[in-house]
Amino acid sequence: MTRMTLREKVAQMYGAWLDVDDSAGEVAPHQHDQTPDPIDWAALLPHGLGQVTRAYGTTPVAPADGARRVANLQREIIAAGRFGIPAIMHEECLTGLAAWQATIYPAPLSWGASFDPDLVERMGAQIGRTMHRLGIQQGLAPVLDVVRDLRWGRVEETIGEDPHLVGTIGAAYVRGLESAGVVATLKHFAGYSASRAGRNLAPVSIGPRELADVLLPPFEMALRAGARSVMNNYTDLDGVPVAADPAMLTELLRDRLRFEGTVVSDYFAIAFLQTLHGVAASRADAAALALRAGIDVELPGANCYGAPLLDAVEAGDIDEALIDRAVTRILLQKCELGLLDADWRPEPPALDEEGSAVDIDEPDARDLARRLAERSVVLLRNAPVDGTPVLPLAPGARLAVVGPGAAESGAMLGCYSFPRHVLVHHPDVPAGVSIPSVLDALKAGHDVTYAQGCPVLGGDDEQIAAAAEAAAGADVCVAVLGDLSGLFGGGTSGEGCDAADLRLPGRQEELLEALLATGTPVVLVLLVGRPYELSRQIDRLAAVVCGFFPGEEGAAAIEGVLSGRVDPAGRLPVSFPGAGASQPSTYLAAPLAASSGVSTVDPTALFPFGHGLSYTPTTWGEVSLGPAGGWATDGTVEVAVPVSNDGDRATSTVVQVYLHDPVAEVARPERQLIAAARVDLDPGQCRTVTFGLHADLLSYTGRDGRRLVEPGDVELRVARSSADVHAAVRIPVVGPRRAVGTDRQLHPLVTITG
């Protein structure tokens, strides 16, 4: 680095947005406003280049063509610069690699619903291997924002409303992606999901305790899992934009959490310090604020870290030592990736036998997508009709399959999937992978009549009447309702698609009422990016099945649950709201937030966090706790429960452990998840789940702002959901009050025997 000119060093600090045709597509509303000029590669490359933005994820390009173009571009970058430093290629990878023809996995809410970190880690590793084959070194995932308001459009990108679940699943994804040699990027550090009124990119006004105890733990867990990059939060926290806050990006992230990787800006976040936040008078001012705060790399392009930053350094307004700090981190990461090895060469992946195609939706990947989808579908309700539950569907039953999601393959996909993110701008290009609809899947084994009823938004009375007529002539009506994901107003869920309330979008509730009025049993299938309010219909619905954008194999998973081929296994990562739904809240609340006689609003969930039913009953035995004599403030207790399968088919259940702290220094959540384990059981099998719980899991931020464990009685609730407690065990916490640092134990030790 000491041999590099200032211009060469700064060139390592930004990206360049291109696709394989050298022209960026339309994937962000600020994209061309912020970067209006085409890239002059001849002028740019001799100085070097830090990153290349979304070479695959901007327009549809065949993987083989993209790989050849990426390899050629790397060769050009190496040859043009004095030091031959390659660029880091980065891509979105939230539901799989966001590239044409790549496997589309379930959206992150489905990861949370699976309660299966091992399966999510396998998915992350598979995604990472695909990226590595294509010459991609960095992935912009996972999203670790904890849901605070269900109206927020990006709920579908999150893992859930509980920090332990988000951290456990997010850390598993990080381990998988990083195991393939791809840098995982944690988003969005930190507090993004707590925006006012659930509006995207809105101000955040939260206390330091909510930040420390709810929003930060998933980042801590994922950093320990080996994540090598962090992306800043767009918003301001109590008036200070995170992109300009050294207290967040340096003092907290680096000094306290010991992060040593690179901090990359969310797209255009540095320019937004001037254009949206009004804390910078110019792009040079914005660059100075971001650099001092701790942002090393500007993405997607050189809006502020290019000429404006150079001018500011040469004018003496920015210390060049800050440039050196950022470039040191960038070059060290390129060293770790092997990009500076003398023998590193950009090579495209092996082609097929015809020498033209690269398969990035292999059978193993599709099988993994299917298994995760099956693991994540949640059976919310299965009420008896004439004494017998409607689900599983009886063989030979005549089905009316209706609703906007029934025949729409896009109903399976989240907003960061390639078809919903990019192909909406290329309507003549096929999806690139096979994505059956629910109607396709049900037609394969059932007698089906189809009527749409209405689209997600819009529709007319005649369509609804036709759907009701189809339902009236059937034995069972399967109503497939919910969202269509999109970006910035292009859907009902997704980035920039926030909701004013939690009623089903458009005329779907009206359609549902018409179907219920026929008297035919109605099975509601939700394909959604957030929970919706169902309180007016729930008692009249025969069953409710929920899939959180379950991906390319989601229809098979839904059909499997409806037919009984798949035993429902998912558990809710977010609560379903109760009546009203105008003031949504998560389960993670202090007693003051419960229903009371001093407010006319009842926040009780219709379906609570952790809820999910199965077709196969399980029996939970007596809970044991040890050792006797209490839980030392620096010690460990073991909680064990036997679980048995009383049915004649294999099943899976999730044992959840919640902490209730009745008396504390500050108001604490009534219950908070501190451990969970998925248990698979063969017919007649009994297994014992043992949780080793360190006292660090009791810690919280006290009045003085420091994390502590204090003596006193606590209650451990072994439960099927946050509201369905199998057994509550009270235990004294004994010993001195103890301060706890960022090196605290974050995970329970889980052992399953039998």
Side-chain angles (χ1 to χ4, degrees), residues 89 114 144 201 257 335 360-361 376 423 532 641 663 681 707-708 745:
M89 302 278 172
S114 78
L144 298 179
L201 221 167
L257 299 181
C335 286
I360 53 175
D361 186 30
S376 67
L423 288 187
Y532 284 101
V641 58
V663 180
L681 296 162
R707 183 172 291 277
L708 64 96
Q745 293 197 30

Side-chain angles (χ1 to χ4, degrees), residues 52 72 132 212 232 281 394 433 474 499 522 525 541 566 578 591 631 740 743:
V52 171
N72 289 336
H132 191 269
N232 72 282
V433 296
V522 176
V525 175
L541 288 166
V566 174
W631 190 350
V740 179
D743 59 346

Side-chain angles (χ1 to χ4, degrees), residues 557-611:
I558 294 290
E559 186 280 331
V561 167
L562 295 179
S563 67
R565 176 177 55 81
V566 174
D567 193 52
R571 300 294 184 268
L572 284 181
V574 281
S575 309
F576 265 67
S582 61
Q583 295 180 321
S585 61
T586 73
Y587 94 98
L588 203 63
L592 202 61
S595 178
S596 69
V598 297
S599 172
T600 55
V601 176
D602 184 354
T604 305
L606 180 66
F607 296 115
F609 174 85
H611 170 73

